[in-house]
Amino acid sequence: MAATLTLCPPVLATPTSTTYLANLNEPRTKPMSRDSSPIATLKNCKTLDELKQLQCHVLKRGQNQNASHVAKVISTCVEMGTFESLKYAQKAFDVFKNDNETSGTLFMYNSLIRGYSSVGLGVEAILLYLELVGFSLLPDKFTFPFVLSACAKSLAYSEGVQVHGAIIKMGFEGDVFIANSLIHFYGECGKIDYGRKVFDEMSERNVVSWTSLICGCARRDKPKEAVDLFFQMVEEGVRPNSVTMVCVISACAKLQDLKLSERLCAYIDESGMKMNTLMVNALVDMYMKCGAVDTAKRLFDDCEDMNLVLCNTIMSNYVRLGLTREALSVLDKMLLRGPRPDRVTMLSAISASAQLGDVLWGRWCHGYVLRNGLEGWDSICNATIDMYMKCGKQEMACRIFDGMSNKTVVSWNSLIAGFVRNGDVESAWEIFDEMPESDLVSWNTVFGALMQESMFEEAIELFRVMQREGINADRVTMVAVASACAYLGALDVAKWIYTYIKKSEIYCDMRLETALVDMFARCGDPQSAMQVFNKMEKKDVSAWTAAIGAMAMKGNGEQAVELFNKMLKQGVNPDTVVFVGVLTACSHGGLVEQGWQLFRSMKKIHGISPQIVHYGCMVDLLGRAGLVGEALDLIKSMPMQPNDVIWGSFLAACRTHKNVDMAVYAAERITEMFPEKTGIHVLLSNIYASAGEWNNVARVRLNMKERGVRKVPGSSSIEVNGKVHEFTSGDESHPEMTQISTMLREMNCRLRDAGHVPDLTNVLLDVDEQEKHYLLSHHSEKLAMAFGLISTRQTMPIRIVKNLRICSDCHSFAKLVSKIYDREIVIRDNNRFHFFQQGFCSCRDFW
């Protein structure tokens, strides 16, 4: 056995005489007659005090403490099963060894090992086994089950393996009782495969053998194996007991398989097995986990013994399922006719109050906790903090937190999560900085706060800090980081994130994989997005939506529609979001007919009523295709009032196709219904400017000035060697502006020779033609393109992010630059991605 076990039994006595055990108090039991046997009388001792009184009589009468008597004293103490009785047994054992200058008997060791093991003092039991072996006593078939039970309870795996070796050496592996103990030991230590090996090698098995293996599988995340073993056991004619049933029922609960659960219940009915309280509790939990709430409630209502465990089971499941009113109704019943609620009950009740946001119920629960002395439990305090935060009572939550004597990481996390939920990111950040110790939940909560406030750059920087501090991320972290990267459109960061996930072997569930597809799509790398998508084993409608969105970003409407049809063939039901994605793809690809077909199929085939966002997609589709009249007809036929987004989309189409009359009509409608939407005035001003109607431009801009509206200047950014360079239209402050200007002149000359004629209508100022040429040549995306050409290798794509919609002149300019300089140019404007290659754009000039 391992000699490294240095823990000693908590009670070790080395008295020098038997008088150490004498109780000097007056005897309270009837004196023992001279003819009565001490051993026979020991059988009548029910309490430790009675046993001590008997021992006092024995010692006063001078009767010899022989081995048989001491062994019976120890055995009687062990049967009592209390810490005090075991302490007395240990003293008796030590006195016997000292007085007789010998080791104890094997029976004494077995009794004490069994006693320590039964009360959970596994290390002390193992030390006694080591002492036994050290005295050259040979363990017998009764020793090993007790020692293995101690190893199982203290999870002493290496010691248990050595005990297994001793069992084989002594030839006891064929003993059923010992083999069952080995199966139980391996199951408790999480080594189910070793337990299964012992089970398979048994020549004889009983119900305990099967039950030990079934319970081991059920408890160690192998519920399917547990259920399969159960039905195999039944087929072999072994009748299960109540322990078997509780374990296999809990396995069905973990599987959440209603059909399998009903098959199990059918066996219980057919076999005539008598139901006990534990089985009813397990069945209620199983039905709740499988979603059969009505069946679980019926079992609960029919149960004559409405015990505390049963009430807690159904309450916790109600809360988990969001059935908070039902959970609180169970609490009402308990208060009326028992049983008395405990801390587990109140945890569920407080959580239910938190979900409801019902501060009255929450305060009552808090009062009950205080009246019944339950506030000392950390879990109760943490739940109460969470409840007050969800009810908007931050001051009360902070008061409870400040009053806690033992603030755990969970306590701090509850406070941070509450601040985040209430939109107080600053306080959440302060608490996070003050934490004496944080865990992954703390970091993930802060990530959630930053995402909630659209602080995407800060989220990426926090992730870098997390790496420097050596904290390993999980898939929850990576979903937040990938989403932040998607919003920023930073491809280099996206590739780093993906590499980190693979190197760190972070488990990619469907949610994380979907986030990665969306990340690559939004970062302008649809090829990587589709590679991740194609590797996914399971795909829900969100995953398909992300892939369709990747195709929409690329302007590949045909492939987006093809993906949508493939999704339908695989039996995935579409939702409102995926229709937005595929209609957007049709809009960006100019697929008018396919868009109409999909739009009409929503209600007719899939039973989904188009929402205002779907009408917006169709207006955008028709407007981009130049069908401005049809777009207006659709707006007028909508079953709901069009919002500013739809009118804004229509207005943008009027600008693109230079339909000033309809643009004015749309602007008037928007001004009537949405006077606070100042961005519309900017767009209308641009429309008048494109048509050369400068008086109207002046009128609109005067109106904008009176309203305090300021036009956002166009800006473009490009990342080179990990540094982001930002350019604003007409700005010449960049340190490399001399080289950029030289490159711009070269680009303009080469494009002019290729036949490019600047579209001066994109200059929305009333200035002379020369000034218009200068302003147009210094649009921010052109400055960024020039910088990209002088700062990156020939083979590298030039990636630009623009805050506004790219103008038509810059669009045609970028197409020619991609062809003349043989460079791929990717521009992400505020509406979509444009992939320019060899003189063509992925948007096919629809944007």
Side-chain angles (χ1 to χ4, degrees), residues 659-674:
N659 193 323
V660 179
D661 292 338
M662 283 197 175
V664 173
Y665 172 79
E668 288 174 353
R669 301 287 81 72
I670 297 169
T671 305
E672 288 174 6
M673 293 182 286
F674 312 101

Side-chain angles (χ1 to χ4, degrees), residues 299-312:
L299 268 173
F300 174 78
D301 292 339
D302 291 345
C303 186
E304 295 180 1
D305 178 21
M306 196 176 75
N307 60 78
L308 183 60
V309 174
L310 180 60
C311 292
N312 288 344

Side-chain angles (χ1 to χ4, degrees), residues 544-645:
W544 286 98
T545 301
I548 290 168
M551 293 299 99
M553 288 281 188
K554 192 177 180 181
N556 196 334
E558 289 91 347
Q559 192 163 352
V561 174
E562 186 180 325
L563 277 170
F564 179 80
N565 291 330
K566 189 176 180 181
M567 179 191 78
L568 297 179
K569 288 178 183 177
Q570 294 193 7
V572 179
N573 294 323
D575 61 5
T576 57
V577 181
V578 76
F579 271 109
V580 173
V582 72
L583 288 173
T584 301
C586 290
S587 176
H588 288 178
L591 305 178
V592 177
E593 189 57 38
Q594 291 94 323
W596 270 121
Q597 289 175 1
L598 287 163
F599 182 74
R600 289 165 181 151
S601 73
M602 288 182 65
K603 182 68 175 178
K604 187 176 180 181
I605 298 175
H606 304 289
I608 299 174
S609 297
Q611 299 175 5
I612 195 165
V613 65
H614 302 108
Y615 281 97
C617 290
M618 288 304 298
V619 170
D620 189 59
L621 169 60
L622 296 170
R624 287 172 188 270
L627 303 172
V628 182
E630 290 187 31
L632 184 58
D633 291 340
L634 180 62
I635 292 174
K636 291 178 178 179
S637 68
M638 286 173 57
M640 71 284 291
Q641 183 175 334
N643 60 15
D644 60 301
V645 176

Side-chain angles (χ1 to χ4, degrees), residues 373-391:
L374 301 175
E375 70 276 10
W377 294 96
D378 296 337
S379 56
I380 289 285
C381 289
N382 297 337
T384 309
I385 290 170
D386 180 65
M387 180 271 295
Y388 278 121
M389 279 293 193
K390 285 180 178 175
C391 292

Side-chain angles (χ1 to χ4, degrees), residues 265-493:
C265 291
Y267 169 80
I268 296 173
D269 292 338
E270 291 168 5
S271 64
M273 182 174 287
K274 187 177 180 181
M275 299 278 284
N276 62 20
T277 302
L278 292 175
M279 285 175 64
V280 174
N281 290 345
L283 284 170
V284 168
D285 185 61
M286 177 191 74
Y287 277 122
M288 293 292 281
K289 294 279 195 325
C290 293
V293 177
D294 291 340
T295 306
K297 186 176 184 302
R298 188 165 57 252
L299 268 173
F300 174 78
D301 292 339
D302 291 345
C303 186
E304 295 180 1
D305 178 21
M306 196 176 75
N307 60 78
L308 183 60
V309 174
L310 180 60
C311 292
N312 288 344
T313 297
I314 198 164
M315 277 189 71
S316 63
N317 276 288
Y318 273 142
V319 172
R320 180 181 58 83
L321 293 170
L323 301 171
T324 49
R325 293 294 181 191
E326 289 81 351
L328 294 175
S329 70
V330 174
L331 178 61
D332 276 338
K333 291 179 183 178
M334 293 174 71
L335 294 170
L336 286 171
R337 51 191 176 95
R340 185 182 181 83
D342 66 354
R343 66 185 179 94
V344 179
T345 318
M346 297 317 298
L347 269 177
S348 295
I350 293 168
S351 298
S353 304
Q355 284 187 30
L356 284 170
D358 190 333
V359 72
L360 293 178
W361 256 111
R363 281 175 175 161
W364 183 92
C365 291
H366 189 195
Y368 181 93
V369 165
L370 295 174
R371 288 192 300 274
N372 292 274
L374 301 175
E375 70 276 10
W377 294 96
D378 296 337
S379 56
I380 289 285
C381 289
N382 297 337
T384 309
I385 290 170
D386 180 65
M387 180 271 295
Y388 278 121
M389 279 293 193
K390 285 180 178 175
C391 292
K393 303 295 181 180
Q394 290 187 179
E395 184 180 345
M396 193 64 191
C398 292
R399 192 182 304 171
I400 294 169
F401 177 81
D402 293 338
M404 291 180 68
S405 57
N406 179 35
K407 297 181 180 72
T408 64
V409 175
V410 178
S411 312
W412 290 88
N413 289 345
S414 298
L415 204 62
I416 292 172
F419 283 126
V420 170
R421 194 179 298 110
N422 293 331
D424 191 351
V425 177
E426 185 177 348
S427 296
W429 191 264
E430 288 175 3
I431 294 295
F432 180 69
D433 284 340
E434 291 175 11
M435 287 183 73
E437 180 185 357
S438 60
D439 62 5
L440 188 54
V441 175
S442 318
W443 288 84
N444 286 344
T445 305
V446 175
F447 274 119
L450 296 176
M451 293 300 294
Q452 182 176 299
E453 295 299 309
S454 300
M455 300 170 70
F456 307 121
E457 291 182 9
E458 291 82 352
I460 297 296
E461 183 56 36
L462 181 66
F463 181 62
R464 290 192 174 103
V465 173
M466 189 177 174
Q467 303 314 297
R468 288 196 292 269
E469 295 193 9
I471 298 171
N472 295 322
D474 65 358
R475 61 183 184 272
V476 177
T477 317
M478 299 318 300
V479 166
V481 174
S483 299
C485 183
Y487 281 105
L488 292 172
L491 182 59
D492 289 342
V493 178

